[in-house]
Amino acid sequence: MRASLYSDGIFPFEVGSQSPLWPIEDPSEIEMPGGNLASDLIGSATAFPAQAAMFYYGATYSYAELLRDVERLAGWLVQQGLKRGDRVVIDLQNCPQYVIAFYAVLRANGVVVPVNPMNTTDELAYFAADSGARFAIIGEELLDRFAPLVGVAFDRIVRIRYADMASDDASDLPDVMRMAPPAPSEGFTDLKTALAENRPAPALLSGNDDLAVLPYSSGTTGRPKACMHSHNGARFVAKAQVRWYRLDSQSVMTSFMPLFHVAGMMASMASAIHCGAALILMTRWDAEVIPALFRRHRPTWWSAAPTMVVDVLAAKGFTNDCFSSLKVMTGGGASMPATVVRRLRDQWGLRFAEGYGLTETISATHLNPIDAPKPQCLGLPIYNTHALVADPETLAPCVQGSLGEILISGPQVMQGYWNRPQDTTEALIDLNGRRWLRTGDLGYVDEDGYFFIVDRLKRMINSSGYKIWPAECEMLLYSHPAVAECAVISAPDPRRGERVRAVVVLHPDQRGKISESDIIDFARTQMAAYKVPREVEFRDALPRSGSRKVDWRALQAEAWERHA
């Protein structure tokens, strides 16, 4: 086992190509693509105009049609006053209109601000004010949440109707696509109306180090903060994943993971557009329609949470031929059950290849080789990317196999946090002649150079892939007049991996008057649904650490032990 520093200061296995299991045909670095991320769409539409870009509830859209609508929307946005570098909020479920909106904003030299459709009006107002976005593109189910923000937070809002791009005879539409058409309302413009104006797209000016995407992340304290990602970094991630997964214009890829999240945005959408592959889009996850969908479109690449795979295997109508076209199955966020791992391998020759990335790295920094994946493993640092495990206090590299904080350096690492210089200084450090991101994740490297996580230095809760920061939830719970103290922690969940649990101390005069369900109902009015506590426990007092801070670690350990 190699455990010492190399003479040039590079720690063993700092780069993936040092691993004996690195794909032998791959270089350690690939050429940076440069330019605007929208150039990928222009290139694919030029090379494969008639080829399918998207499949959506019985409808098929070609690359030529996709580029046409992207350029028309880009032209409309500019005509409405969007200038180079202006931010645009996109708040949509997965749908073809999301792809159109995303690339149209980039094509108009703007910056995409992707947000979760579960966000409340107050959360949306915060994102608008913090990012400075005055434009938004939203789904029809969100009109009530955005109505109070018209003319206050946003000057222009484009609304889309999901069913507009589905086949007229589609029978498996989710409820959100069966809504009655919304009535015209002041401050909102229908996407169809904007496209019908057929405005010409502007010159493509933004690229390289210009901002492309501002996704929101959070630390352990305070409000969410936006990660500044350039065109160069985002386009690199798309190109890297195309090469790693051996994707091309004949690939058919799923787009079931949320596109507002960097994993769905880059691993499926941006990678597919980069190489001219076809995307299968689904607005609401429904395992029961997957067997017929897979037989029809024959996907070759599927990014899935383990619970998705389990659900599909148990779905009515599932037969072995449903997976016969798959070449790659990837994902993460939770452990795949061992019995499912064996069935995938023995029946279809599939090996679930997990990956790792953060909002701060706009998706992948580590991926498992598709021919040599390890379970519950981040994988190897990908092309052009360095990673090491360091002592959280001294930042000295840890010996191989020892626990420490995972640090990452590469072109996909953010430029910093938007308007947060202090947070940027804490997250990005200079070491060994490189700039590194402190991930806050505790892990180690094995003898083959594969990285593993064993714990979090941050308090993040991961529920079905949604990242939840307890301090934000606690801040909102404190606005309840009966809450004297609270601690938000994780508890194990057999389906979601983790669930949100709130331990609450009530004011003495409120004890016996407020129930657990009262707190949960209140939380639903204050925060997105995935952040709402699933469990509430009342206590007379919270445990304290030696420094008199609330000992959330003790509460969390107790919750996990109790469920175990």
Side-chain angles (χ1 to χ4, degrees), residues 59-364:
T60 302
Y61 294 91
S62 69
Y63 267 96
E65 291 171 316
L66 174 57
L67 180 60
R68 176 201 65 199
D69 287 349
V70 162
E71 296 201 322
R72 287 180 177 179
L73 180 55
W76 184 87
L77 289 169
V78 170
Q79 189 274 333
Q80 294 296 311
L82 186 76
K83 298 180 176 58
R84 181 179 180 180
D86 284 353
R87 280 75 63 202
V88 180
V89 164
I90 299 181
D91 199 355
L92 298 169
Q93 311 281 347
N94 286 20
C95 58
Q97 295 96 321
Y98 196 109
V99 185
I100 293 169
F102 184 90
Y103 283 93
V105 172
L106 301 179
R107 182 65 185 82
N109 301 300
V111 180
V112 172
V113 182
V115 299
N116 188 332
M118 287 191 278
N119 286 129
T120 64
T121 298
D122 286 346
E123 289 169 325
L124 294 168
Y126 167 75
F127 292 136
D130 185 71
S131 68
R134 302 297 300 176
F135 288 76
I137 303 171
I138 72 169
E140 60 187 328
E141 81 281 16
L142 304 177
L143 294 180
D144 289 345
R145 297 184 202 177
F146 275 85
L149 305 177
V150 174
V152 179
F154 296 105
D155 298 327
R156 298 282 187 275
I157 300 180
V158 177
R159 66 183 187 185
I160 71 99
R161 181 166 171 75
Y162 301 110
D164 284 346
M165 295 194 75
S167 172
D168 291 337
D169 58 359
S171 59
D172 52 359
L173 300 181
D175 290 343
V176 72
M177 295 179 67
R178 298 180 183 275
M179 299 170 60
S185 53
E186 188 174 350
F188 296 92
T189 301
D190 289 329
L191 177 63
K192 292 174 70 173
T193 301
L195 295 179
E197 292 191 14
N198 197 14
R199 300 279 180 179
L204 196 59
L205 302 174
S206 295
N208 292 344
D209 293 331
D210 292 319
L211 285 184
V213 189
L214 274 179
Y216 274 82
S217 180
S218 292
T220 57
T221 60
R223 287 280 201 167
K225 46 188 177 285
C227 303
M228 298 189 293
H229 287 291
S230 67
H231 286 275
N232 220 9
R235 203 173 182 201
F236 162 77
V237 168
K239 178 178 180 178
Q241 292 183 124
V242 164
R243 180 172 184 120
W244 191 272
Y245 291 124
R246 309 298 185 255
L247 302 171
D248 58 29
S249 61
Q250 300 305 305
S251 299
V252 179
M253 304 172 63
T254 65
S255 186
F256 305 155
M257 305 298 279
L259 290 175
F260 66 80
H261 189 279
V262 293
M265 178 195 305
M266 301 308 298
S268 59
M269 180 181 70
S271 295
I273 298 300
H274 181 89
C275 66
L279 278 174
I280 307 171
L281 289 145
M282 177 181 284
T283 292
R284 288 282 171 83
W285 171 250
D286 184 351
E288 296 300 322
V289 306
I290 293 295
L293 197 65
F294 275 25
R295 289 191 196 98
R296 179 176 184 177
H297 295 302
R298 309 277 299 161
T300 58
W301 182 96
W302 183 16
S303 175
T307 52
M308 288 180 166
V309 180
V310 172
D311 286 349
V312 171
L313 290 172
K316 296 176 183 177
F318 178 83
T319 52
N320 290 342
D321 63 317
C322 294
F323 285 1
S324 61
S325 59
L326 286 174
K327 298 177 181 177
V328 177
M329 186 180 288
T330 184
S335 299
M336 182 74 77
T339 54
V340 176
V341 170
R342 287 194 295 271
R343 185 177 177 190
L344 292 172
R345 180 194 61 209
D346 296 343
Q347 217 152 359
W348 296 282
L350 291 169
R351 303 184 68 181
F352 190 69
E354 299 177 47
Y356 172 76
L358 306 96
T359 308
E360 285 82 353
T361 63
I362 200 159
S363 192

Side-chain angles (χ1 to χ4, degrees), residues 210 223 291 405 460 516 542:
D210 292 319
R223 287 280 201 167
E405 183 178 2
M460 185 191 75
E516 291 88 349
L542 298 179

